[in-house]
Amino acid sequence: RVFAAEPNPPTFSALEHHLTVNRVANVRALMCGLADTPRVLTLHAPPSRIDYNATVLPRAGWTRVDVPTRTLDHCVSEWAIECIDLMKIDVEGAEPLVLAGGANALARGVVRHAMIEMNGPRLTEPGSGPRQLAETLDRLGFVPATLDGGRAVAGSWTLFDVDPSHETDCLFVHRRALA
């Protein structure tokens, strides 16, 4: 089973279209975002001429769209999910909100692996940063990882790139998944 939370209306429509055209039956698409609490957040969508993802960070001249959010903890409970093999989080600076709303499930190790975009410039705008996100992931039981022979191998936080000017996708593995 795949659960896809997508708050941006045009992106959600494209997702639904591709799922229908390709007859994909194991994906449940939800038009919502994941955040720290269930609420309505304003999403800022870029003009079509800009190749950039929507964000909750204010952007002059971008289209404002109010979108509903849910928490990961609530979704895990509602859908009776015992294990998420891989969770992808790419929310342009709102990663701390997603982690806060899933702190219970994440700390329990429900999510075994997480692929998270560490977007230093976007994380620092609202006053956070890659270092703070790494500290949160560590508290929740995650360590940075690499792939070796198709398996996630634990890395070290001491070698982890927390430069606020960098942007990269990073793999993390929960310590319970390593046991």
Side-chain angles (χ1 to χ4, degrees):
R1 298 184 303 167
V2 176
F3 295 90
E6 175 54 60
N8 189 3
T11 305
F12 181 79
S13 292
L15 171 62
E16 278 194 315
H17 172 76
H18 289 291
L19 294 174
T20 301
V21 167
N22 293 295
R23 297 185 181 130
V24 178
N26 68 322
V27 177
R28 180 173 175 186
L30 305 136
M31 195 164 115
C32 70
L34 295 178
D36 54 343
T37 61
R39 57 181 159 150
V40 174
L41 284 176
T42 300
L43 189 66
H44 300 266
S48 60
R49 68 184 186 283
I50 297 176
D51 185 26
Y52 196 74
N53 293 329
T55 178
V56 295
L57 303 173
R59 294 287 183 263
W62 288 25
T63 304
R64 295 169 48 109
V65 181
D66 289 336
V67 297
T69 65
R70 303 177 74 181
T71 68
L72 176 61
D73 282 337
H74 181 261
C75 292
V76 164
S77 175
E78 179 184 326
W79 303 329
I81 297 173
E82 294 178 22
C83 178
I84 297 173
D85 290 319
L86 176 65
M87 182 172 181
K88 170 70 171 137
I89 304 173
D90 184 351
V91 291
E92 302 304 325
E95 288 79 4
L97 297 178
V98 175
L99 297 180
N104 226 0
L106 294 166
R108 288 193 336 260
V110 171
V111 176
R112 295 171 44 89
H113 305 88
M115 177 66 73
I116 302 175
E117 181 188 46
M118 298 292 275
N119 187 328
R122 300 297 158 260
L123 286 166
T124 57
E125 277 186 56
S128 185
R131 182 176 308 283
Q132 291 88 342
L133 192 60
E135 289 168 355
T136 299
L137 287 164
D138 185 42
R139 275 194 313 277
L140 293 171
F142 288 89
V143 295
T146 57
L147 289 177
D148 183 17
R151 297 189 53 85
V153 178
S156 169
W157 284 115
T158 58
L159 302 175
F160 189 74
D161 180 7
V162 292
D163 187 317
S165 68
H166 292 172
E167 178 181 343
T168 185
D169 287 327
C170 301
L171 177 64
F172 301 93
V173 61
H174 199 278
R175 288 179 184 96
R176 291 189 179 163
L178 295 169

